[in-house]
Amino acid sequence: MAEPQTIPVLDKGFVRLVDAMGDDRRIVQAARVSYGEGTKTVREDAALIDYLMRHRHTSPFEMVEFTFHVKAPIFVVRQWFRHRTASVNEISARYSVLKDEFYEPTPEELRTQSEVNKQAGEGRLPEAEAERAAALLAAAERDVYARYQELLELGVAREQARSVLPVGIYTEFYWKQDLHNLLHFLRLRLDHHAQAEIRAYARAVAKFVKARVPLVWRSFEEHVLNARTLSASEIAALRKQIEPQAYEAALKEAGLSKSRVREALEKLFGEA
Amino acid sequence: MAEPQTIPVLDKGFVRLVDAMGDDRRIVQAARVSYGEGTKTVREDAALIDYLMRHRHTSPFEMVEFTFHVKAPIFVVRQWFRHRTASVNEISARYSVLKDEFYEPTPEELRTQSEVNKQAGEGRLPEAEAERAAALLAAAERDVYARYQELLELGVAREQARSVLPVGIYTEFYWKQDLHNLLHFLRLRLDHHAQAEIRAYARAVAKFVKARVPLVWRSFEEHVLNARTLSASEIAALRKQIEPQAYEAALKEAGLSKSRVREALEKLFGEA
Amino acid sequence: MAEPQTIPVLDKGFVRLVDAMGDDRRIVQAARVSYGEGTKTVREDAALIDYLMRHRHTSPFEMVEFTFHVKAPIFVVRQWFRHRTASVNEISARYSVLKDEFYEPTPEELRTQSEVNKQAGEGRLPEAEAERAAALLAAAERDVYARYQELLELGVAREQARSVLPVGIYTEFYWKQDLHNLLHFLRLRLDHHAQAEIRAYARAVAKFVKARVPLVWRSFEEHVLNARTLSASEIAALRKQIEPQAYEAALKEAGLSKSRVREALEKLFGEA
Amino acid sequence: MAEPQTIPVLDKGFVRLVDAMGDDRRIVQAARVSYGEGTKTVREDAALIDYLMRHRHTSPFEMVEFTFHVKAPIFVVRQWFRHRTASVNEISARYSVLKDEFYEPTPEELRTQSEVNKQAGEGRLPEAEAERAAALLAAAERDVYARYQELLELGVAREQARSVLPVGIYTEFYWKQDLHNLLHFLRLRLDHHAQAEIRAYARAVAKFVKARVPLVWRSFEEHVLNARTLSASEIAALRKQIEPQAYEAALKEAGLSKSRVREALEKLFGEA
């Protein structure tokens, strides 16, 4: 079992690696089963993994599995659990009295509503507003917790009393997922469209993943995270402006292998 | 497309049938593909469906699909989405300002904490406590919503301001699921261990299911919902006390078919 | 229920649309639930669908569902069922004697082994070899079927006798899948890396999909099927060779909306 | 990583444990996260696991994961892969020439077709027929493999030539699955309705599972594998014939705990 490690996230949360199974080598083994005798030869692990990643041969990546223990506010957890291909055990507020722990952003962490992007916050609030808002938010959470306790003292069942608790309250869960689906989670939740709070968790998860499967991580950055998908029209518009020889030279200069240069040219100049 | 229908649930929620695909007949067709030429004969639909249900041949039940539109408090939705084999689109509190609508149980609807079952509420609160608790709960929600609005007015992004909103606030979602997984949902959420609030939703969903696939529903009640699973030790203890002939007679009297009587006897007296 | 239609595939197979639920409108409705009040305005359906597709907001596409009845050789079905997010009922060779129907490619349909791509066939066999191979293949299947019948006549159980049957024999199945996962299937199985035989089925499935959700199909072609994903290195190499103004002009000339032109430029010249 | 171990199955197959993550303790840890502070007390691990199993609280069992390497005939693999909640990498007959290895049952292993159960084989063939059938089956497989080789020599692509190969040919795959879904697989595939050949594989898998999670296995046998589900009518028929006191005494004598005796009585005499 991997040495448990914990990365703090937000003001009171964390991501802890509970366990992991498999690594870069396991992916190669599993892929080689698929290819049988035919490819047992000298292909390097890194090259095979890179090939699998850029051609979206995803099944070998499912052979690696991670288990995390996470503490996060409910509103983050609600986004997190939209990813259905994972196993989850979460604290039940029916069984247990939830603790008095809320996400309380500092004034500096408060964002204004973006006018362009309806779903996003961006930029910082003016200082005075930020101070007031942070205080207001913290007070709201303190007050509501007092009421939760009053309801419990009046004898109201935990499962009903909790309905006053805010989605900023912290909860904890075990979360187990395979690497393929984990990378999908990371692609979406490391993206700048994701809410800053869940992005902070995604960065912590990414650290554990990178440490466990460094070859995969390199290919993931190259072919997924920092790659860009260009639509048919964009490809058509680009094609007219690119000189194939110059592009080929630039690709070689960047150190791409022969087969990758060929693939890259085919993307732009091959048939749809 | 099915005629849209809406069943009110709790104080402000509902379940609305948006659409459905397939019915009892579809299940029979799909099952007959599995059995090919071999069983195209005179087996009745009801008998075939009953056979599939009691032998847990679940795949034909996946051929029927339902789409619902639901309005429910977040704490109910959190339980609901633990069922991962469904498609979901929910209101985003990043995009939209959530409305001022909370689950506000009446004093009569408030339950006391069960001492036996750590996760359950049971029985009613004494009248005075119930009155106070209901008022307190409603006040908590009103107050917190005022603070949510203040935060928005201060310019805080919706995605952050919502962190003060309680899990008793109403949200809405589209929910699409196949019949097999829907029956699994219903078995768990109609059960008396489920929280009363989600049980109310399950009953509404059940009405739509029963109307759409009446033959399935009958077999589901007989073989799943009102069936009981007896452990190996319980079967062993029972076996000694049952007179096979008397049991057989009782089963026949209850109108069970020959093959079902045989199966029933085999369960108790057959080899493990 | 949709009018049943059948498209013949290969020499004896077919794809038949059994039923479908939802269409372009349904996707829009489901997406609008997510966006709540905030975006009920004048956004056009096509624009919203295109936005969802290019930003990989996939959940609304799960709201549309298709049921097909397919007849295909086992080796095709084995590839098909690697897609796990679908519901399936297939003929059982334990229940039924399989029919004497095999995939028998014509000499023209036989491909040679590719030397470049270890998994592919490409190009045609020389005429003489093709004639011999087609005859040999057909004879092999006839002979083996005679032996299957002999085994059955000797009293061998169907479930064991079938072990001599080749993976070229036809089987039938019901297949139900949501549009999001169906598009994923099509992206992989319409690709020129997919085996020609399953590609023929994918084209038939695609016809039904295109007819049912024409707006989705248009966006799928633009943003997925004919799009290309360029790795981080490729983007870096391209960036140096593209004149932003000229590219912008070409995009506008191609008729892209303002926001799409902005997005396209950001992909190439924005921060990673 | 667990010490790799291999269990031979059928004439040429095997199940090998590649790796596993988690054990009985992990399930308890994960469950305790769900119950939070509320139940950190003296409950024993075995009791908690038994409670989870008999109340079908399945999510903690998903926290344990197994990876197997399996060699089995294609007809077995086709049944196996109907279980979709697993990760799989299989040899590709497009990439590689499959080896000359077929399932060749001995005369003693050949079964006759059951007349009662349309899908099953049962009993042995008469000796003469069994000898002929076994020889015939082996000859069919040898012949067909010769033709496969001829097709390859004529230059036919592997992906097409393989269409003559029988479903009795051996293939290999990596198979990764969580314990909850693995137990579901075992319940179905250890059952006497399952084909004898896949049952042999299920028994091998079961050995690895039992060794890894002995507490889970004990509860699985008691509450699932050797339990019986009685329909509503069967329960009603039984109820009239059972003397509650005598049944209670028998349950106590069998060593059941107080709470289990209470649960057992409730099943038979409680409200539906």
Side-chain angles (χ1 to χ4, degrees):
Chain A
M1 194 191 304
E3 198 53 48
Q5 296 167 268
T6 301
I7 299 176
V9 186
L10 301 186
D11 58 336
K12 305 179 188 80
F14 60 75
V15 173
R16 179 170 75 86
L17 178 63
V18 175
D19 204 352
M21 179 173 79
D23 50 18
D24 285 328
R25 286 281 320 146
R26 174 68 46 78
I27 293 163
V28 170
Q29 285 166 12
R32 292 235 158 100
V33 166
S34 304
Y35 301 150
E37 302 288 340
T39 55
K40 248 185 199 155
T41 52
V42 280
R43 224 170 196 166
E44 299 284 352
D45 288 3
L48 177 52
I49 284 174
D50 198 72
Y51 176 88
L52 296 171
M53 184 69 78
R54 69 183 192 269
H55 290 280
R56 307 289 187 264
H57 290 194
T58 58
S59 59
F61 298 107
E62 292 183 28
M63 288 292 150
V64 175
E65 190 89 14
F66 291 84
T67 307
F68 296 101
H69 178 187
V70 179
K71 182 175 175 182
I74 285 178
F75 71 88
V76 168
V77 174
R78 295 244 298 145
Q79 295 173 345
W80 202 308
F81 290 2
R82 295 306 314 275
H83 299 262
R84 289 158 294 181
T85 51
S87 295
V88 162
N89 278 277
E90 190 191 347
I91 287 184
S92 166
R94 298 182 71 197
Y95 273 95
S96 311
V97 174
L98 290 194
K99 277 186 259 176
D100 184 13
E101 295 184 316
F102 302 90
Y103 173 48
E104 295 175 89
T106 62
E108 294 72 33
E109 286 165 346
L110 286 172
R111 300 182 295 280
T112 59
Q113 180 62 40
S114 165
E115 293 307 313
V116 182
N117 184 341
K118 288 196 180 251
Q119 77 172 322
E122 57 170 18
R124 286 175 50 179
L125 280 183
E127 204 178 316
E129 279 80 356
E131 297 281 353
R132 272 191 58 201
L136 205 151
L137 207 147
E141 285 169 342
R142 259 196 318 277
D143 287 5
V144 103
Y145 195 80
R147 279 152 174 201
Y148 172 55
Q149 287 179 305
E150 268 187 83
L151 287 168
L152 294 174
E153 276 155 28
L154 282 168
V156 174
R158 287 188 284 274
E159 65 182 12
Q160 283 187 307
R162 53 107 170 243
S163 82
V164 301
L165 291 173
V167 297
I169 199 167
Y170 276 92
T171 180
E172 294 184 32
F173 60 96
Y174 264 51
W175 184 59
K176 183 172 132 296
Q177 194 167 41
D178 70 68
L179 177 59
H180 163 61
N181 284 294
L182 198 44
L183 293 177
H184 183 68
F185 170 86
L186 289 173
R187 187 171 71 75
L188 296 180
R189 302 305 178 180
L190 290 173
D191 190 274
H192 69 282
H193 289 96
Q195 185 166 344
E197 281 76 17
I198 198 167
R199 250 188 292 154
Y201 283 91
R203 282 194 301 271
V205 169
K207 269 185 202 158
F208 289 117
V209 173
K210 187 176 178 176
R212 180 84 187 187
V213 285
L215 296 180
V216 168
W217 190 260
R218 209 168 59 186
S219 294
F220 175 64
E221 285 190 321
E222 169 72 5
H223 299 296
V224 181
L225 209 53
N226 301 324
R228 294 292 174 263
T229 297
L230 274 54
S231 76
S233 309
E234 290 164 42
I235 292 286
L238 263 185
R239 192 179 293 168
K240 296 178 207 155
Q241 306 200 20
I242 293 286
E243 229 288 285
Q245 282 78 4
Y247 182 46
E248 185 173 352
L251 292 166
K252 283 179 178 164
E253 205 185 325
L256 268 60
S257 69
K258 264 191 189 174
S259 62
R260 284 206 48 200
V261 170
R262 182 168 40 76
E263 286 174 23
L265 290 169
E266 210 179 282
K267 283 183 208 172
L268 283 190
F269 304 104
E271 322 243 330
Chain B
M1 194 192 302
E3 197 54 45
Q5 294 167 268
T6 301
I7 298 176
V9 186
L10 301 186
D11 58 336
K12 306 180 188 79
F14 60 75
V15 173
R16 180 169 75 86
L17 178 64
V18 174
D19 205 350
M21 179 173 78
D23 52 18
D24 286 327
R25 286 278 326 144
R26 175 68 44 78
I27 293 164
V28 169
Q29 286 166 11
R32 292 236 158 99
V33 166
S34 304
Y35 301 150
E37 302 288 339
T39 55
K40 249 187 198 154
T41 51
V42 280
R43 226 168 192 168
E44 299 285 353
D45 287 3
L48 176 52
I49 284 175
D50 198 73
Y51 175 88
L52 296 170
M53 184 67 78
R54 69 181 192 269
H55 291 279
R56 305 291 187 263
H57 291 194
T58 58
S59 59
F61 298 107
E62 292 183 28
M63 288 291 149
V64 175
E65 191 89 13
F66 291 83
T67 307
F68 296 100
H69 177 189
V70 179
K71 182 175 175 183
I74 284 178
F75 70 87
V76 167
V77 174
R78 295 246 295 146
Q79 296 173 345
W80 202 307
F81 290 2
R82 296 305 315 274
H83 299 263
R84 291 158 293 181
T85 50
S87 296
V88 162
N89 279 277
E90 190 191 346
I91 287 183
S92 166
R94 298 182 71 197
Y95 273 95
S96 311
V97 174
L98 291 194
K99 277 186 260 175
D100 184 12
E101 294 183 317
F102 302 91
Y103 173 47
E104 294 174 88
T106 62
E108 293 73 32
E109 287 165 346
L110 286 171
R111 299 182 295 280
T112 59
Q113 180 62 40
S114 166
E115 293 306 314
V116 182
N117 185 338
K118 288 195 180 252
Q119 79 171 322
E122 56 170 18
R124 287 173 49 180
L125 281 183
E127 205 178 313
E129 279 79 356
E131 297 281 353
R132 274 191 55 201
L136 205 153
L137 207 147
E141 287 169 341
R142 258 194 319 275
D143 286 6
V144 103
Y145 195 81
R147 279 148 175 205
Y148 173 56
Q149 288 179 305
E150 270 187 84
L151 288 167
L152 294 174
E153 276 154 29
L154 283 167
V156 175
R158 286 188 285 273
E159 64 182 12
Q160 283 186 309
R162 52 106 171 243
S163 82
V164 300
L165 290 173
V167 296
I169 200 167
Y170 276 92
T171 180
E172 294 185 34
F173 61 96
Y174 265 50
W175 185 58
K176 183 171 131 300
Q177 193 168 41
D178 69 67
L179 177 58
H180 164 60
N181 284 293
L182 197 44
L183 293 177
H184 184 67
F185 170 86
L186 289 175
R187 187 170 71 76
L188 295 180
R189 301 307 179 178
L190 289 173
D191 189 274
H192 69 282
H193 289 97
Q195 185 166 345
E197 281 76 17
I198 197 167
R199 248 187 294 154
Y201 283 91
R203 281 194 300 272
V205 169
K207 269 184 201 158
F208 289 118
V209 173
K210 186 177 177 177
R212 181 83 186 188
V213 285
L215 297 180
V216 168
W217 191 260
R218 209 168 58 185
S219 294
F220 176 63
E221 285 191 318
E222 169 71 6
H223 299 295
V224 180
L225 207 53
N226 300 324
R228 294 291 173 265
T229 297
L230 274 55
S231 76
S233 309
E234 290 163 41
I235 292 286
L238 263 185
R239 193 179 290 166
K240 295 178 205 153
Q241 306 200 20
I242 294 287
E243 228 288 287
Q245 282 78 6
Y247 183 46
E248 185 173 352
L251 292 166
K252 282 178 179 166
E253 207 185 325
L256 268 62
S257 70
K258 266 191 187 175
S259 62
R260 285 206 46 202
V261 170
R262 182 168 41 75
E263 286 175 25
L265 289 169
E266 211 178 282
K267 283 182 205 172
L268 282 190
F269 304 104
E271 322 242 330
Chain C
M1 193 191 303
E3 197 54 46
Q5 296 168 269
T6 301
I7 298 176
V9 186
L10 301 186
D11 57 337
K12 304 178 189 79
F14 60 75
V15 173
R16 180 170 74 86
L17 178 64
V18 174
D19 204 352
M21 179 172 78
D23 51 18
D24 286 328
R25 285 279 323 144
R26 174 67 46 76
I27 292 163
V28 170
Q29 286 166 11
R32 292 235 158 101
V33 166
S34 304
Y35 301 151
E37 303 289 339
T39 55
K40 249 186 198 154
T41 52
V42 279
R43 224 170 196 166
E44 298 284 354
D45 288 2
L48 175 52
I49 284 175
D50 198 72
Y51 176 89
L52 296 171
M53 183 69 77
R54 70 184 192 267
H55 290 278
R56 306 290 187 262
H57 291 194
T58 58
S59 58
F61 298 107
E62 292 184 28
M63 288 292 150
V64 175
E65 191 88 16
F66 290 83
T67 307
F68 295 100
H69 178 188
V70 179
K71 182 174 174 182
I74 285 178
F75 71 86
V76 168
V77 174
R78 296 245 296 146
Q79 297 173 343
W80 203 306
F81 290 2
R82 296 305 315 275
H83 299 262
R84 290 158 294 182
T85 52
S87 295
V88 162
N89 278 276
E90 190 191 347
I91 286 184
S92 165
R94 297 182 71 198
Y95 273 95
S96 310
V97 174
L98 291 194
K99 278 187 259 177
D100 184 12
E101 295 184 317
F102 302 90
Y103 173 48
E104 295 174 88
T106 62
E108 293 73 34
E109 287 164 345
L110 286 171
R111 300 181 296 279
T112 59
Q113 181 62 41
S114 166
E115 293 307 314
V116 182
N117 184 340
K118 289 202 179 246
Q119 78 172 323
E122 57 171 18
R124 285 173 52 178
L125 280 184
E127 203 177 318
E129 278 79 356
E131 297 279 354
R132 270 192 57 204
L136 204 152
L137 206 147
E141 286 169 342
R142 258 196 318 276
D143 286 6
V144 104
Y145 195 81
R147 276 149 176 205
Y148 173 56
Q149 287 179 305
E150 269 188 82
L151 287 168
L152 294 174
E153 277 156 27
L154 282 167
V156 174
R158 286 189 285 273
E159 65 182 11
Q160 284 188 308
R162 53 108 170 243
S163 82
V164 301
L165 291 174
V167 297
I169 199 167
Y170 276 92
T171 180
E172 294 184 34
F173 60 96
Y174 265 51
W175 185 59
K176 182 173 133 297
Q177 195 168 38
D178 69 68
L179 177 59
H180 164 60
N181 284 294
L182 197 43
L183 293 177
H184 184 68
F185 170 87
L186 289 174
R187 188 171 71 76
L188 295 180
R189 302 305 178 179
L190 289 174
D191 189 273
H192 69 282
H193 288 97
Q195 185 166 344
E197 282 75 17
I198 198 167
R199 249 188 293 154
Y201 283 90
R203 283 194 300 271
V205 169
K207 269 185 202 159
F208 289 117
V209 173
K210 186 177 179 178
R212 180 83 186 187
V213 286
L215 296 180
V216 168
W217 191 260
R218 208 168 58 185
S219 295
F220 176 64
E221 285 190 320
E222 169 71 5
H223 299 295
V224 181
L225 209 52
N226 300 324
R228 295 290 174 267
T229 297
L230 275 56
S231 76
S233 309
E234 291 163 42
I235 291 285
L238 263 185
R239 193 179 292 168
K240 296 178 207 154
Q241 307 200 21
I242 293 287
E243 228 287 285
Q245 281 77 6
Y247 183 45
E248 186 173 352
L251 292 166
K252 283 178 180 166
E253 205 186 326
L256 267 61
S257 69
K258 265 191 186 174
S259 61
R260 285 206 47 201
V261 170
R262 184 169 39 77
E263 287 174 23
L265 290 169
E266 210 179 282
K267 282 183 208 173
L268 281 190
F269 304 105
E271 321 243 330
Chain D
M1 194 192 302
E3 197 54 46
Q5 297 167 267
T6 302
I7 298 176
V9 186
L10 300 186
D11 58 337
K12 305 179 188 79
F14 60 75
V15 174
R16 180 170 75 87
L17 179 64
V18 174
D19 204 351
M21 179 173 77
D23 51 18
D24 286 328
R25 285 281 323 145
R26 174 67 46 77
I27 293 164
V28 169
Q29 287 166 11
R32 292 236 158 99
V33 166
S34 303
Y35 302 151
E37 303 288 339
T39 55
K40 249 184 197 155
T41 52
V42 280
R43 226 170 193 166
E44 298 286 352
D45 288 3
L48 176 52
I49 284 175
D50 197 73
Y51 175 89
L52 296 170
M53 184 67 79
R54 69 183 192 268
H55 289 280
R56 307 290 187 262
H57 291 193
T58 58
S59 59
F61 298 107
E62 291 183 29
M63 287 292 150
V64 175
E65 191 89 14
F66 291 83
T67 306
F68 296 100
H69 177 188
V70 180
K71 181 175 175 183
I74 285 178
F75 71 88
V76 168
V77 174
R78 295 244 296 145
Q79 296 173 345
W80 202 307
F81 290 1
R82 295 305 315 276
H83 298 263
R84 291 158 293 181
T85 50
S87 295
V88 162
N89 279 276
E90 190 191 347
I91 287 184
S92 165
R94 299 181 69 197
Y95 273 95
S96 312
V97 174
L98 291 194
K99 277 186 261 177
D100 183 13
E101 295 183 317
F102 302 91
Y103 173 48
E104 295 174 87
T106 61
E108 294 72 34
E109 286 165 345
L110 286 172
R111 299 181 297 279
T112 58
Q113 179 63 39
S114 166
E115 293 306 315
V116 182
N117 185 340
K118 288 196 180 251
Q119 79 172 322
E122 57 171 17
R124 288 173 49 180
L125 280 183
E127 205 179 314
E129 277 81 356
E131 297 281 354
R132 276 192 53 202
L136 205 153
L137 206 148
E141 286 168 341
R142 262 196 315 278
D143 286 6
V144 102
Y145 195 81
R147 279 150 174 202
Y148 173 56
Q149 288 179 305
E150 270 188 82
L151 288 167
L152 294 174
E153 277 155 28
L154 282 168
V156 175
R158 285 189 285 274
E159 63 182 14
Q160 284 188 308
R162 51 105 171 245
S163 82
V164 301
L165 291 173
V167 296
I169 200 166
Y170 275 92
T171 180
E172 293 184 35
F173 60 96
Y174 264 50
W175 184 60
K176 182 171 131 303
Q177 194 168 41
D178 70 67
L179 177 58
H180 164 60
N181 284 294
L182 197 43
L183 293 177
H184 184 68
F185 170 85
L186 289 175
R187 188 171 71 76
L188 295 180
R189 302 306 179 179
L190 289 173
D191 189 274
H192 69 281
H193 289 97
Q195 184 166 344
E197 281 75 17
I198 197 168
R199 250 186 295 155
Y201 283 91
R203 281 193 302 270
V205 169
K207 269 185 200 158
F208 289 117
V209 173
K210 186 177 178 177
R212 181 84 186 186
V213 285
L215 296 180
V216 168
W217 191 260
R218 207 169 59 184
S219 294
F220 176 63
E221 284 190 319
E222 169 70 6
H223 298 296
V224 180
L225 208 53
N226 300 323
R228 294 291 174 266
T229 298
L230 275 55
S231 76
S233 309
E234 290 163 41
I235 292 286
L238 263 185
R239 192 179 292 168
K240 294 178 206 155
Q241 307 200 19
I242 293 286
E243 229 289 286
Q245 282 77 5
Y247 183 46
E248 186 173 352
L251 292 166
K252 283 178 179 167
E253 207 184 326
L256 267 62
S257 70
K258 264 191 189 173
S259 63
R260 284 206 47 202
V261 170
R262 184 168 40 76
E263 286 175 24
L265 290 169
E266 210 179 283
K267 282 183 205 171
L268 282 189
F269 304 105
E271 321 242 331

